[in-house]
Amino acid sequence: MAIKMTVERDARTDEFLSVYFQIREGEVGRTLELDKNCLLDLSDTNQAIGLEILGPFSLRKAREAASMYFCPELESIFAVFGHEPQLVQA
């Protein structure tokens, strides 16, 4: 299954409020706070269901907290945030 991304934004201010990455379908058994503003939804069997980002968060802390849940899809999401921004010259 491909990772699905849902973005919630305030239509009035155009600010992003949250981003949710659905890793797999299933019922959420519990939610772990990986870091402030970074939540991991797990099934009853501890499979990663989704990752929600509500604002600024520590990538290092979130990765460390999630490391006990082997999930290549989760690491691919974190990898996107771990890339250094590229400067584009005009």
Side-chain angles (χ1 to χ4, degrees):
M1 175 183 169
I3 296 171
K4 295 180 185 176
M5 183 178 80
T6 306
V7 176
E8 182 182 351
R9 69 178 182 86
D10 184 320
R12 187 177 54 80
T13 64
D14 203 35
E15 292 179 339
F16 287 93
L17 304 174
S18 69
V19 179
Y20 189 80
F21 298 92
Q22 182 182 359
I23 297 167
R24 65 178 45 86
E25 302 218 0
E27 289 195 34
V28 175
R30 64 188 177 124
T31 301
L32 296 177
E33 184 176 298
L34 300 179
D35 189 52
K36 180 184 174 192
N37 298 325
C38 186
L39 308 171
L40 177 62
D41 289 335
L42 298 170
S43 69
D44 288 333
T45 59
N46 286 332
Q47 287 192 317
I49 300 292
L51 181 75
E52 183 172 28
I53 299 171
L54 302 170
F57 72 101
S58 166
L59 180 61
R60 181 187 52 79
K61 287 181 182 178
R63 269 189 165 140
E64 287 173 5
S67 66
M68 68 181 86
Y69 304 99
F70 175 73
C71 178
E73 296 89 354
L74 189 57
E75 186 52 39
S76 69
I77 293 168
F78 286 143
V80 170
F81 293 100
H83 290 291
E84 292 296 321
Q86 299 296 314
L87 297 177
V88 177
Q89 296 183 2

